Amino acid sequence: MRSLPQPLPIPATFDKSSSMWVDEAIWGHRLYDEQSPWMVLLEFLNVFYYEVEKGRGFVEANGLNTLTYKAARRLYLRNILFNNPHLGEIRVRFPHDANRWEQWLERMSSATGLHHPQFAYLKGRFDSFDDFSEVVSLVRSTSLEVNSNKRWTSKFVFPYGQNCLYEDLDNNASTNDRRFFGRTGEILYLMLSRAKRRQELLAALRQSLSKTDSTWDSVIRCLQPSEEEDLSSERANAFLPYAEHPCFDQLAEDWLAILRLNIPGFDVLPHLVNLAGLHLVKYQLSVSRELLGLSAMPIFVCEVVAPKKTLVREISADGYQENNFLPSRAVEAYISAIESSAQWQQALHDHGAFEKCRQLLSERVRWDDYEGPSDPEQLLLAFKQAAMKRHRQHVANIHRNYGRDIGLVSKRGTIKLRYAPNDSLLKTLLFANVERRVELHRFLEKLFQRYGLLFGDKEAGQVLAQGDFDKKAFQANSRRFEQRLDSLGVLKRLSDSCAYVINPYRERMP
Amino acid sequence: MTDSKWLQFLRHYGPIPRNDNMYDETIQRSARRQKIAPIEFEHPMQDLLLRCFDQRTVDPVSVILTGTAGDGKTHLCRRVWTRLNGDEKAWASDSAYLTLAFRYPKDRKEWPTSNDEELYRQVNIHFIRDLSGWAPQQGGEWEPEKEALLQKFCHSLVNPDANELFLIAANDGQLIESWRRLQQTEEVQRARQLFEDLLVEDRQERSGVRLKFFNLSRADSADLFDRALDAFLNHPGWDELRNLSAGENELFGSRCPIRHNFEILQGALVRSRLRSLLELCDRNGLHVPIRQILILLTNAVLGHTDCKDGLMTAADVPKVIAAGTISKASLFSNVFGGNLPENRRLGITIFDYLERFQIGHETSNRVDNLLIFGEQDDHLSHYFEALVAQDGFYGADPRFYAAKQEYIEGSDEGSDSQTFLDLLVAQRRGLYFKIPREWEEELNLWELTVFKFAGEYLAEVVQPLLKGVAVKRMILARLIRGLNRVFTGMLINADRELFLATSGNNSQAKVSRILLERVSVDPNKGERIALHRDPSNGSILLSVFFTPAIHEDFHLTLIRYEFLSRIALEGALPASFSKECYEDLLAYKSQLVAGLLRRQEKDGVVVGGSSVRLNFLALTEQGMPDPKFVEVAV
């Protein structure tokens, strides 16, 4: 049982948008449930490119938790792509190319977020309005969130290259209201900056990003004016409480493993996204467990979806509920620790106890929002209620939301949520953990040791109490796992229950 | 007669519940006791194997025989033993390990003509005829002498001076597992790595290593079937029954189902249809071991739904005839294990494989019309007469006619329509074996199976390529159209070129509108697309050549052929027939894109410059490709 490393102190100046500092102290500022793993990656890339350009990729030059960066806004591009319902109508109503441009430019003169919008530069870039429309249509078809009913400022171009990146903005396209870029991408960046193999990862990321086909990045640059890009104001105040943690190292290792394979083009990105999501969930649960004094590794009993209800499904659903509850329990434990701390106890017995306690809370957790009776117990109770309420609004949902987004958690075939990894996640795990080929049972072992993902009876026997599990049910689960891998084309079955898991993308030749 | 020695013996080969590890011993022991020769034939790899050890080699190396249970490993070991003058009695013992000495030319160049001992070297050949019986139990440790022997084996793999050779018979998994439990010296680890490579990559040897690897699972199932069937039908054991000169209702009389099944099995058409099924199993990557073929044949002849273990004994025959349940002994159903309860049937490999063809359950309007209304129908009555009515054993019997009547008239609900539907399944299975070659096309024989294009696959793709003849243009064109539809995600009709398209950001996207390249099917500037046969393992390959030196191959199994044909001809959606095939094809597309990039690199194609050119793919109303070029000034 490992204990948490010493958490870093609250920053002197911190984001005034935080009404207290509890979740942040435990996991960082911040893990945000409405920021999906793809959004996390996009935010991360914004930070990454900026820092690399400044020559300090994955280096916290001014000390820990001092990250400041600027992001692009690219409002011309975004207006064209996502705030522009005119193309179809214009093509139908106006047959001549010159008219079309005229009409469109007129409509776009009211584009949001720009002073004196001037879109005429586009005429010189395309042979015809038609061509322009085709390109816009194609770029839209590969964009993220394009079919959701999110505001247009929260729709994102696929990250083909640096010219595609920008930050999330509010409806007026004026500020980043942290609605969808809730800083988890910044946390991701800090995590990797503190991983042991960050130098290697930096090189691998840079190489991988530079090797992709630049066609689309160029096209997207064409949609933007040639003048200097206006960057946002400085973003700061990201906070990660630990100078090091095994979760950071594991994430870096997994990303490195993926980047080393010769996966074509942009296909790497979905895997990086899945791994980021998985490790963030694992991080939250691991830290929770450590705070509660449990062993660090969270366990995810996984069902390979079966046509009928199985025992594994039951155990998986129970395990899901247990894990889902862990972060809340951790917050409670954190608050109890404050209560039983020497300082609090002393303050209780000093005269002016209430004021002292109030002061203590203000310093420790930056909370000062109390109107009730001057009683330390009441104070603490109110604080606890406020903290739990705040936790449940967002941070408590990370496990469920990220879990669903990466394909780990699902309700498929049943009514309860439980762990049932989908094909995409299974492939990601395979690519990250199998260099060339490995025997199936060793692959299962590795999945368990590294991530706590439990599929088979051997691993179940290590964790579940004897009476609690049915060996046959887990054996059937492993067999389904084998068949699943077979249908994905990554399994070579020899006779006799001897099977090999094969990675179709061997390591890139150096 | 109360029982038949031959039938009693033959039963051992059938699908009776047994302990598989004792299979060989049981047969051999029973054979010795009854003084009947076991059913044996020459394994296609036998000569190749003997050649490794007998006087046709001057420098023998060790051999490992792998495969699944029932592939004939032990049997082949015995052949080698006998050829090298090994003692028969020693072999008859139960020992999993035996050894003999043989001499080979000392100079390793040619066999000396004289008997001078100086010209020979003595070699000890160690036979481990069953590694699983010889190795320690699960979780146990190797005994020191056995461990030493295997270490010697690992050493002999690279050491030409070794005077110890080995012939080891083992199941794949057992081989790897046993090696894992040896002391991990460098030689042991290298050996294990070698075995893994050879097994996973399906190869026989590696240069520089003194070992030949025979994987019996790679034997041609259809070839094994031919040999096994001949050995089965020509076995003298049947004489015992023929010499009975039985009466009409007795064992092997004119109404005996065992005799009738035996005679059906001798027919050329039935044989050819069965053989096709086994060949198609091979073409889907499913190998059928010899033991399974013998189960198939035995069950085909002796099977009956109501008898003990599903197999008829001599005493059962008169009872079956008297009870009027001859139709339950139908060979056509027995072939699919229809005489066995479901969970036993699915647990037996051959029936599991044959079930996948869904013969009996698949059908067409034509076939069902024939069976249900054919009697009265002008056009279909002569088919009905020839194929169903005239089959006095398994065709339309009074039970069938009665159930058919009930079904058509629809008197009441209840179990009766189910009875008829079950009988229909049996009749469809019968049709599969009875429709003569001249009627194959008009009655759409292969629509009785789930692989509608199987007949064409065998006749127009496999056969010609085996003979070295090119496949018909039309077939290749159809495959190209199927590929184009999968690669673009659109109902495109192009078949003279292969369209490599992507979606821009995801090589595995369902719809891809950005055209990267069009590869010509006919030879053109180094590009071409062709079907050919891989001589090393007989598989059919579709190869796309970007240049004569840069190409990517796709293994065209039966199921993939079916998949592409359905998409090309019927406009089926890729994900509806087989998700697996769909994924395989998208993976092939990835490979092709990589191949294209390699050619571009070689040609020195430069990306970038003052403008970007994009090829968008759209379709005309007729589904012909309508590419559109857009140029963007950067």
Side-chain angles (χ1 to χ4, degrees):
Chain A
M1 190 190 77
R2 228 181 44 86
S3 56
L4 268 180
Q6 187 61 21
L8 300 165
I10 306 182
T13 60
F14 73 103
D15 199 335
K16 295 291 184 287
S17 67
S18 291
S19 56
M20 63 169 79
W21 195 260
V22 177
D23 295 318
E24 293 78 359
I26 303 175
W27 296 292
H29 182 53
R30 73 167 90 95
L31 293 182
Y32 191 59
D33 65 330
E34 286 186 50
Q35 180 169 12
S36 71
W38 263 105
M39 298 288 126
V40 172
L41 185 76
L42 288 178
E43 190 179 31
F44 164 82
L45 286 173
N46 273 298
V47 179
F48 180 76
Y49 272 107
Y50 186 82
E51 293 294 289
V52 165
E53 210 142 290
K54 294 287 180 197
R56 47 182 199 226
F58 287 149
V59 170
E60 291 180 85
N62 297 325
L64 298 176
N65 294 320
T66 58
L67 176 69
T68 51
Y69 69 101
K70 293 185 183 178
R73 292 149 56 87
R74 307 195 195 278
L75 282 164
Y76 274 96
L77 176 68
R78 292 158 88 166
N79 270 294
I80 293 172
L81 290 177
F82 306 123
N83 195 25
N84 171 21
H86 314 296
L87 296 177
E89 177 225 333
I90 292 179
R91 279 169 90 180
V92 163
R93 284 180 58 195
F94 301 96
H96 293 301
D97 197 54
N99 281 356
R100 287 172 167 178
W101 281 114
E102 207 183 296
Q103 288 291 325
W104 186 72
L105 287 172
E106 201 186 296
R107 285 175 181 54
M108 293 305 282
S109 60
S110 53
T112 316
L114 292 164
H115 288 307
H116 309 302
Q118 291 290 340
F119 286 88
Y121 64 90
L122 290 164
K123 287 172 78 169
R125 308 264 172 100
F126 293 93
D127 284 343
S128 69
F129 189 78
D130 230 13
D131 282 1
F132 168 63
S133 302
E134 284 282 0
V135 170
V136 169
S137 157
L138 205 105
V139 174
R140 278 179 185 158
S141 74
T142 60
S143 294
L144 302 165
E145 296 288 345
V146 73
N147 292 324
S148 77
N149 52 10
K150 284 207 170 82
R151 60 196 182 187
W152 69 273
T153 47
S154 294
K155 299 195 175 178
F156 294 90
V157 167
F158 185 86
Y160 292 105
Q162 194 169 357
N163 293 295
C164 307
L165 296 171
Y166 49 80
E167 63 170 0
D168 188 38
L169 292 172
D170 66 355
N171 263 314
N172 298 325
S174 53
T175 58
N176 182 350
D177 58 353
R178 295 303 183 175
R179 183 76 209 284
F180 297 111
F181 268 26
R183 293 187 188 282
T184 313
E186 297 171 11
I187 294 278
L188 182 65
Y189 180 83
L190 289 180
M191 284 185 176
L192 291 173
S193 303
R194 299 183 194 175
K196 294 197 175 71
R197 295 174 71 182
R198 57 182 172 274
Q199 290 303 329
E200 270 179 79
L201 184 61
L202 177 65
L205 259 179
R206 293 184 73 178
Q207 191 195 40
S208 179
L209 293 171
S210 68
K211 272 191 106 164
T212 49
D213 178 10
S214 60
T215 308
W216 285 100
D217 192 44
S218 306
V219 169
I220 293 197
R221 196 174 69 233
C222 280
L223 290 172
Q224 303 175 60
S226 21
E227 302 88 58
E228 256 310 305
E229 174 50 61
D230 60 328
L231 293 178
S232 65
S233 49
E234 248 182 26
R235 307 276 170 236
N237 295 320
F239 176 81
L240 185 62
Y242 309 106
E244 55 178 32
H245 194 281
C247 282
F248 308 163
D249 297 320
Q250 270 199 340
L251 172 60
E253 275 159 21
D254 279 354
W255 271 30
L256 265 170
I258 296 280
L259 293 169
R260 291 227 150 102
L261 301 172
N262 43 15
I263 296 182
F266 301 104
D267 288 356
V268 203
L269 294 176
H271 298 300
L272 297 182
V273 168
N274 277 347
L275 288 168
L278 180 63
H279 283 285
L280 283 168
V281 166
K282 197 160 155 289
Y283 165 71
Q284 187 191 43
L285 295 180
S286 302
V287 168
S288 306
R289 290 181 67 97
E290 285 163 341
L291 241 169
L292 290 167
L294 302 168
S295 68
M297 174 76 93
I299 306 286
F300 306 94
V301 175
C302 295
E303 177 200 355
V304 181
V305 181
K308 292 182 287 208
K309 192 165 98 155
T310 65
L311 197 73
V312 180
R313 179 179 296 176
E314 290 297 300
I315 299 184
S316 176
D318 288 343
Y320 168 81
Q321 288 300 331
E322 229 182 272
N323 281 339
N324 211 31
F325 211 33
L326 272 176
S328 312
R329 288 173 55 201
V331 172
E332 282 177 352
Y334 185 79
I335 298 176
S336 299
I338 296 180
E339 189 180 359
S340 50
S341 72
Q343 293 147 308
W344 184 269
Q345 291 302 319
Q346 169 135 47
L348 273 184
H349 295 107
D350 269 356
H351 41 245
F354 177 71
E355 275 310 314
K356 290 240 167 70
C357 289
R358 195 185 186 141
Q359 179 75 359
L360 203 69
L361 275 186
S362 175
E363 279 167 19
R364 277 298 287 278
V365 298
R366 296 272 195 274
W367 182 74
D368 212 352
D369 194 8
Y370 182 65
E371 302 287 321
S374 300
D375 171 32
E377 263 183 52
Q378 293 285 349
L379 173 70
L380 194 66
L381 192 62
F383 166 62
K384 189 166 176 184
Q385 283 174 347
M388 293 311 294
K389 180 165 172 214
R390 183 168 178 265
H391 172 80
R392 276 192 289 276
Q393 271 172 343
H394 291 294
V395 183
N397 303 326
I398 299 271
H399 171 243
R400 183 193 68 215
N401 287 13
Y402 283 22
R404 291 184 93 161
D405 281 336
I406 63 175
L408 175 64
V409 173
S410 103
K411 264 193 207 173
R412 208 166 122 216
T414 175
I415 49 172
K416 291 190 280 195
L417 288 170
R418 51 47 168 119
Y419 299 116
N422 66 5
D423 285 352
S424 156
L425 183 61
L426 284 178
K427 279 199 231 177
T428 299
L429 288 169
L430 190 142
F431 297 155
N433 289 288
V434 175
E435 258 180 51
R436 207 173 140 226
R437 67 167 174 256
V438 81
E439 273 179 78
L440 179 64
H441 65 91
R442 272 166 212 269
F443 181 53
L444 285 170
E445 259 171 49
K446 192 162 186 192
L447 287 179
F448 178 64
Q449 278 161 6
R450 265 192 118 224
Y451 308 95
L453 293 168
L454 199 159
F455 290 92
D457 57 301
K458 204 165 123 201
E459 293 76 31
Q462 288 173 32
V463 166
L464 301 171
Q466 273 294 25
D468 270 356
F469 83 104
D470 177 4
K471 195 164 171 182
K472 276 217 181 93
F474 277 93
Q475 280 172 340
N477 203 40
S478 320
R479 269 199 302 278
R480 282 195 300 274
F481 184 72
E482 189 182 329
Q483 281 163 359
R484 200 61 176 297
L485 292 182
D486 195 16
S487 77
L488 289 175
V490 293
L491 189 86
K492 172 87 181 189
R493 199 187 275 123
L494 306 176
S495 58
D496 263 42
S497 71
C498 176
Y500 282 87
V501 179
I502 314 237
N503 186 345
Y505 300 110
R506 310 294 173 72
E507 280 212 18
R508 223 197 280 256
M509 286 300 129
Chain B
M1 128 164 292
T2 45
D3 210 344
S4 151
K5 277 197 341 193
W6 168 239
L7 289 183
Q8 264 184 337
F9 176 66
L10 192 59
R11 215 179 158 80
H12 288 301
Y13 286 102
I16 53 177
R18 73 164 75 81
N19 179 357
D20 251 336
N21 288 340
M22 304 299 289
Y23 182 82
D24 257 336
E25 280 80 356
T26 317
I27 300 247
Q28 296 291 339
R29 215 174 299 137
S30 188
R32 278 194 297 272
R33 218 182 323 126
Q34 310 262 35
K35 298 203 188 8
I36 303 180
I39 301 180
E40 280 179 344
F41 56 88
E42 183 178 318
H43 193 284
M45 290 193 192
Q46 177 173 300
D47 201 52
L48 267 165
L49 179 61
L50 289 175
R51 206 193 292 245
C52 292
F53 289 104
D54 66 13
Q55 288 178 330
R56 286 174 288 179
T57 178
V58 292
D59 185 18
V61 299
S62 294
V63 169
I64 294 189
L65 288 179
T66 65
T68 61
D71 264 331
K73 300 187 289 295
T74 317
H75 176 89
L76 281 171
C77 283
R78 177 147 154 266
R79 286 275 171 273
V80 177
W81 179 266
T82 314
R83 176 66 68 98
L84 297 182
N85 307 325
D87 179 18
E88 279 304 314
K89 273 205 283 295
W91 190 267
S93 79
D94 273 339
S95 171
Y97 166 71
L98 300 142
T99 175
L100 60 67
F102 204 72
R103 62 181 194 179
Y104 291 95
K106 195 180 261 190
D107 66 359
R108 301 179 201 243
K109 290 206 182 63
E110 55 183 329
W111 281 83
T113 38
S114 85
N115 247 338
D116 186 358
E117 282 303 320
E118 286 298 301
L119 300 171
Y120 294 93
R121 51 186 261 264
Q122 285 285 34
V123 175
N124 261 341
I125 309 189
H126 304 270
F127 287 68
I128 302 178
R129 59 174 161 171
D130 174 20
L131 186 63
S132 55
W134 191 70
Q137 294 287 20
Q138 266 281 37
E141 293 275 314
W142 280 100
E143 292 157 40
E145 320 88 59
K146 294 185 179 176
E147 163 116 24
L149 201 60
L150 289 181
Q151 294 280 358
K152 223 186 269 188
F153 169 64
C154 295
H155 184 67
S156 79
L157 293 179
V158 286
N159 190 354
D161 293 329
N163 280 339
E164 320 268 350
L165 285 184
F166 292 77
L167 172 57
I168 304 182
N171 293 339
D172 310 344
Q174 183 66 31
L175 187 64
I176 305 286
E177 192 47 46
S178 305
W179 246 255
R180 200 162 276 188
R181 280 187 277 163
L182 290 174
Q183 202 179 37
Q184 298 292 301
T185 64
E186 202 187 302
E187 283 176 341
V188 165
Q189 282 177 337
R190 231 174 325 151
R192 204 193 88 227
Q193 189 60 40
L194 172 70
F195 299 156
E196 238 181 62
D197 288 345
L198 293 175
L199 278 171
V200 172
E201 293 165 29
D202 254 337
R203 289 201 311 220
Q204 259 113 336
E205 54 195 337
R206 172 174 290 179
S207 65
V209 179
R210 297 175 62 80
L211 175 72
K212 280 211 165 53
F213 212 77
F214 284 86
N215 188 348
L216 298 180
S217 298
R218 292 172 75 250
D220 185 338
S221 303
D223 184 8
L224 290 175
F225 170 76
D226 286 333
R227 296 172 191 236
L229 183 60
D230 283 335
F232 181 86
L233 293 173
N234 297 332
H235 195 286
W238 295 105
D239 290 336
E240 179 206 2
L241 297 175
R242 275 190 274 252
N243 294 341
L244 283 177
S245 37
E248 187 180 80
N249 294 328
E250 293 176 346
L251 173 67
F252 233 68
S254 60
R255 294 190 67 206
C256 168
I258 295 184
R259 171 169 161 181
H260 188 69
N261 287 341
F262 181 66
E263 286 170 1
I264 295 179
L265 205 51
Q266 290 173 313
L269 187 62
V270 171
R271 180 178 185 137
S272 146
R273 295 277 159 78
L274 253 185
R275 187 184 198 282
S276 293
L277 290 181
L278 284 165
E279 190 176 356
L280 292 169
C281 281
D282 266 343
R283 297 272 157 216
N284 261 343
L286 301 172
H287 161 76
V288 184
I290 297 172
R291 191 177 303 174
Q292 293 295 318
I293 297 179
L294 293 172
I295 289 180
L296 174 69
L297 297 174
T298 309
N299 192 61
V301 173
L302 300 181
H304 187 289
T305 324
D306 298 337
C307 297
K308 176 169 183 286
D309 292 334
L311 299 176
M312 290 182 276
T313 62
D316 285 325
V317 173
K319 294 188 206 148
V320 161
I321 299 178
T325 59
I326 294 179
S327 60
K328 292 189 182 183
S330 164
L331 177 135
F332 308 126
S333 286
N334 293 343
V335 162
F336 301 100
N339 56 315
L340 302 171
E342 179 167 4
N343 44 356
R344 186 134 65 90
R345 181 185 347 128
L346 292 179
I348 299 178
T349 308
I350 183 64
F351 299 130
D352 175 32
Y353 287 175
L354 292 180
E355 171 110 4
R356 297 178 197 204
F357 289 97
Q358 291 286 293
I359 297 182
H361 303 289
E362 288 284 317
T363 187
S364 61
N365 284 337
R366 203 169 170 87
V367 161
D368 274 4
N369 280 339
L370 194 167
L371 290 172
I372 303 174
F373 302 109
E375 230 188 326
Q376 292 91 357
D377 183 297
D378 287 335
H379 300 289
L380 298 172
S381 59
H382 77 283
Y383 292 126
F384 184 85
E385 184 60 32
L387 301 171
V388 185
Q390 288 204 355
D391 183 349
F393 273 84
Y394 307 131
D397 61 356
R399 209 165 131 241
F400 177 78
Y401 284 115
K404 183 158 80 87
Q405 197 67 6
E406 283 265 13
Y407 180 74
I408 295 176
E409 317 255 287
S411 48
D412 49 41
E413 323 94 32
S415 57
D416 279 277
S417 68
Q418 188 54 45
T419 312
F420 181 64
L421 292 175
D422 289 340
L423 291 177
L424 261 193
V425 169
Q427 290 306 317
R428 291 186 196 119
R429 287 176 169 170
L431 282 181
Y432 173 76
F433 289 102
K434 290 190 266 187
I435 293 179
R437 266 187 242 290
E438 2 6 313
W439 290 351
E440 262 182 40
E441 211 174 301
E442 55 196 284
L443 288 180
N444 294 328
L445 171 73
W446 290 97
E447 283 186 17
L448 283 168
T449 79
V450 90
F451 295 104
K452 301 195 283 208
F453 293 92
E456 185 190 72
Y457 180 73
L458 286 178
E460 306 285 351
V461 179
V462 176
Q463 280 307 315
L465 290 178
L466 203 59
K467 296 197 194 107
V469 172
V471 173
K472 281 199 197 125
R473 187 72 187 282
M474 178 201 85
I475 298 217
L476 182 59
R478 188 204 302 159
L479 292 173
I480 299 293
R481 179 149 25 120
L483 282 174
N484 282 337
R485 289 184 174 190
V486 173
F487 287 173
T488 61
M490 299 191 268
L491 278 179
I492 193 171
N493 275 332
D495 58 24
R496 294 228 198 99
E497 292 171 305
L498 186 65
F499 283 70
L500 276 187
T502 76
S503 72
N505 65 337
N506 181 2
S507 69
Q508 314 274 287
K510 287 189 167 49
V511 178
S512 302
R513 291 192 55 216
I514 313 281
L515 190 57
L516 289 178
E517 184 59 270
R518 301 156 79 144
V519 182
S520 170
V521 175
D522 287 332
N524 182 12
K525 301 201 184 96
E527 289 178 358
R528 69 185 172 91
I529 304 182
L531 282 171
H532 64 108
R533 186 173 167 270
D534 180 350
S536 75
N537 55 15
S539 52
I540 308 287
L541 299 176
L542 176 85
S543 298
V544 173
F545 286 83
F546 293 99
T547 73
I550 302 179
H551 68 100
E552 291 292 337
D553 299 332
F554 185 63
H555 185 188
L556 196 64
T557 60
L558 170 65
I559 191 172
R560 291 173 180 183
Y561 184 83
E562 179 81 22
F563 180 76
L564 286 173
S565 300
R566 287 200 194 193
I567 290 183
L569 286 183
E570 300 172 9
L573 288 177
S576 64
F577 177 65
S578 165
K579 184 162 176 271
E580 229 173 286
C581 283
Y582 185 48
E583 302 246 340
D584 289 343
L585 280 165
L586 289 181
Y588 182 53
K589 183 166 86 154
S590 249
Q591 274 176 263
L592 288 171
V593 171
L596 177 66
L597 290 177
R598 284 205 303 280
R599 180 180 79 182
Q600 284 178 341
E601 252 177 56
K602 189 168 143 299
D603 288 347
V605 168
V606 168
V607 176
S610 63
S611 69
V612 173
R613 201 153 183 268
L614 300 169
N615 296 354
F616 284 88
L617 187 61
L619 295 184
T620 66
E621 264 175 34
Q622 292 77 32
M624 295 312 289
D626 185 17
K628 183 189 162 106
F629 298 106
V630 170
E631 219 164 304
V632 184
V634 300

